[in-house]
């Protein structure tokens, strides 16, 4: 019988309360999405091109991808607490920097520094694994990651409302206040759960050849990269589509961004109910199929002349729904290919997935013009979603061939 550690709220000599873990995960998700309705406004403010301003998202994602590789082994050695608190301090400094920036180059520098807060997203799951056994970990992680599912629904709405009422700077003032509150909570509640254990970064690097030589690992990871890449491409183009093409206010742009998040939450529920019964491959195939059906129908309607926000954003619900079904399963598949390398597979797979998303978000920002309308972005999302399905089909074919 496993004895669980005692947890006392606001006692940093014990492991953190689940409320703290939910909030630090939500803080990371909030920072990624809250400013998106303001991208077009910020483009005008800094007198630059939308594709340049788009680096605020793609550069942030690229930095997050790099952190995915390093943060696990570093926190294994030096501890979770110091890494979370340090990352929040860097985030606060960077957020103040974005408010003081007078040029787009300075703003983007500090914006990319804000990616330090993504440390909390990765370490919240690691902390859960530190303090509870595997059977309880899955359930607890489910609660912790609620922040990632719920915040993208309300974050852009908050950002859009703040922009409309006070200007885009108000969004970053809100982030600074939220970051300070989160830091204070972590300082008093986040007790250390591990130090001096785990896999070193050198050992992690040594395990890369075994992992990267697995075709099934690549199939799962590429499915995740392409599938989530369609969503990141949407994030990259949403502000331009909503503001320039459809003429929506920042508030309505934020509300429109909630559509895929609603679908993602429903997809996660479906995945939790049926993954064990159907298996990860069939669920991933179903998820990619749902995405392709929704995005394909939306593109057909646009081609037929139906250029309306409900057509574009409404069908993006299917993108969130498909990813909600697909992503948990391919992520589970990727870490099960080599069970003894699960931690390395999680970090490396996450880096590839988010890195691919960074590239696609930047491409999305560069291909859109008022003259082309939404079609280039719709086709980009549809093509990479088809690539995600082909990746799953490859995994299924590979497994049949091996067995």
């Amino acid at each position: 019988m496993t004895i669980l550690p005692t947890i006392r709220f606001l006692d940093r000599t014990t492991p953190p309360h689940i409320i703290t873990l939910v909030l630090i995960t939500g803080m990371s998700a909030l920072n990624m999405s809250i400013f998106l309705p303001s991208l077009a406004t910020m483009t005008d403010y800094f007198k630059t091109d939308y594709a340049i301003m788009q680096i605020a998202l793609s550069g942030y994602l690229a930095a997050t991808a790099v952190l995915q590789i390093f943060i696990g082994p570093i926190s294994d050695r030096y501890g979770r607490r110091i890494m979370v608190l340090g990352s929040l301090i860097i985030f606060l400094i960077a957020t103040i920097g974005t408010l003081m920036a007078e040029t787009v180059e300075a703003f983007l520098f500090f914006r990319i520094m804000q990616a330090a807060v993504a440390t909390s997203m990765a370490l919240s799951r690691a902390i859960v694994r530190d303090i509870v056994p595997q059977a309880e970990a899955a359930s607890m992680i489910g609660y912790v990651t609620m922040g990632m599912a719920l915040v993208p629904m309300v974050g852009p709405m908050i950002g859009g409302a703040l922009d409309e009422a006070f200007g885009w700077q108000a969004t970053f003032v809100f982030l600074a206040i939220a970051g300070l509150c989160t830091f204070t909570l972590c300082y008093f509640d986040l007790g250390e759960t591990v130090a001096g254990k785990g896999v070193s970064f050198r050992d992690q690097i040594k395990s890369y050849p075994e992992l990267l030589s697995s075709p099934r690992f690549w199939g799962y990871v590429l499915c995740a990269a392409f599938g989530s890449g369609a969503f990141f491409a949407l994030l990259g183009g949403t502000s331009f589509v909503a503001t320039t093409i459809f003429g929506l206010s920042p508030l309505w742009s934020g509300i429109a961004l909630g559509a895929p998040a609603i679908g993602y939450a429903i997809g996660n529920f479906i995945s939790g109910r049926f993954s064990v019964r159907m298996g990860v491959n069939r669920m991933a195939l179903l998820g990619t199929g749902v995405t392709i059906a929704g995005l394909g129908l939306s593109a057909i309607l646009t081609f037929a002349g139906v250029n309306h926000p409900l057509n574009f954003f409404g069908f993006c619900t299917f993108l969130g729904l498909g990813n909600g079904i697909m992503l948990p399963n391919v992520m589970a598949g990727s870490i099960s290919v080599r069970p003894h390398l699960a931690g390395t597979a999680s970090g490396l797979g996450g880096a590839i997935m988010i890195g691919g998303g960074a590239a696609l978000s930047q491409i999305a920002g560069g291909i859109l013009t008022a003259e082309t309308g939404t079609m280039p972005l719709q086709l980009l999302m549809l093509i990479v979603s088809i690539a995600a399905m082909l990746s799953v089909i490859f995994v299924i074919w590979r497994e049949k061939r091996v067995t």
Side-chain angles (χ1 to χ4, degrees):
M1 179 177 178
T2 303
I3 299 176
L4 299 181
T6 301
I7 297 176
R8 293 186 294 270
F9 190 46
L10 299 181
D11 184 348
R12 63 176 184 266
T13 64
T14 68
H17 195 277
I18 190 170
I19 292 174
T20 302
L21 297 178
V22 170
L23 289 177
I24 63 175
T25 305
M27 188 67 223
S28 180
L30 179 69
N31 185 49
M32 184 179 72
S33 63
I34 191 172
F35 79 106
L36 292 175
S38 303
L39 266 182
T41 306
M42 293 160 64
T43 300
D44 295 335
Y45 178 87
F46 286 110
K47 297 179 175 60
T48 186
D49 295 328
Y50 185 81
I52 299 297
M53 203 69 237
Q54 177 58 31
I55 298 174
L57 176 62
S58 60
Y60 177 88
L61 291 174
T64 301
V66 174
L67 281 173
Q68 294 287 310
I69 300 175
F70 292 95
I71 197 61
I74 293 175
S75 68
D76 281 344
R77 183 164 186 176
Y78 296 104
R80 317 293 194 208
R81 176 180 166 85
I82 190 172
M83 296 302 299
V84 171
L85 293 177
S87 69
L88 286 169
I89 290 173
I90 294 172
F91 169 76
L92 286 169
I93 294 171
T95 304
I96 294 171
T98 62
L99 290 166
M100 298 177 64
E102 297 182 355
T103 65
V104 67
E105 291 83 4
F107 174 84
L108 292 175
F109 172 78
F110 287 113
R111 169 60 188 164
I112 293 172
M113 272 185 63
Q114 282 188 307
V117 78
T119 297
S120 300
M121 186 186 301
L123 292 188
S124 62
R125 295 189 294 269
I127 290 170
V128 170
R129 292 195 298 269
D130 293 338
I131 61 179
V132 297
Q134 185 174 356
E136 286 87 353
S139 176
M140 192 171 179
I141 287 175
Y143 287 113
V144 169
T145 54
M146 279 194 309
M148 294 179 63
L150 297 178
V151 168
M153 297 183 198
V154 299
M157 298 180 196
I158 294 172
L162 289 172
D163 184 337
E164 201 164 315
F166 307 106
W168 67 266
Q169 293 92 339
T171 301
F172 289 86
V173 172
F174 180 85
L175 282 173
I177 295 171
L180 181 60
C181 292
T182 304
F183 174 84
T184 303
L185 176 63
C186 289
Y187 182 83
F188 288 106
D189 186 61
L190 183 61
E192 184 55 73
T193 58
V194 66
K197 303 176 183 177
V199 180
S200 69
F201 184 66
R202 179 181 298 178
D203 290 336
Q204 179 174 288
I205 291 292
K206 289 180 180 178
S207 67
Y208 281 176
E210 180 181 353
L211 201 58
L212 294 176
S213 64
S214 168
R216 288 175 58 235
F217 173 77
W218 277 109
Y220 284 125
V221 167
L222 288 178
C223 179
F226 287 127
S228 62
F231 175 68
F232 287 127
L234 173 66
L235 294 186
T238 288
S239 185
F240 186 90
V241 168
T243 305
T244 304
I245 297 178
F246 292 130
L248 300 181
S249 67
L251 174 59
W252 280 104
S253 299
I255 293 173
L257 264 174
I262 294 171
Y264 186 78
I266 296 172
N268 269 273
F269 173 77
I270 294 173
S271 180
R273 285 291 302 273
F274 299 104
S275 289
V276 174
R277 187 187 312 172
M278 294 182 60
V280 296
N281 292 344
R282 291 173 64 190
M283 289 295 290
L285 197 59
L286 173 63
T288 55
V290 168
T291 299
I292 292 170
L295 295 180
L297 183 54
S298 178
I300 291 171
L301 290 173
T302 300
F303 185 75
V306 182
N307 296 304
H308 193 277
L310 285 177
N311 174 37
F312 182 84
F313 291 109
F315 278 101
C316 284
T317 305
F318 288 90
L319 170 59
L321 177 62
N323 273 355
I325 297 171
M326 176 271 293
L327 277 175
N329 287 282
V330 295
M331 292 172 72
S334 67
I335 64 175
S336 64
V337 170
R338 297 287 187 272
H340 60 290
L341 300 177
T344 302
S346 179
L348 186 59
I352 294 172
M353 181 179 74
I354 298 175
L360 286 166
S361 70
Q362 188 61 36
I363 292 172
I367 62 176
L368 288 170
T369 66
E371 291 74 24
T372 60
T374 61
M375 186 58 81
L377 178 56
Q378 288 175 284
L379 291 178
L380 176 63
M381 292 190 295
L382 181 59
I383 290 169
V384 296
S385 298
I386 293 172
M389 174 178 274
L390 293 175
S391 300
V392 177
I393 293 173
F394 169 77
V395 171
I396 295 172
W397 170 81
R398 179 72 184 181
E399 288 188 352
K400 289 181 178 178
R401 185 183 177 189
V402 171
T403 56

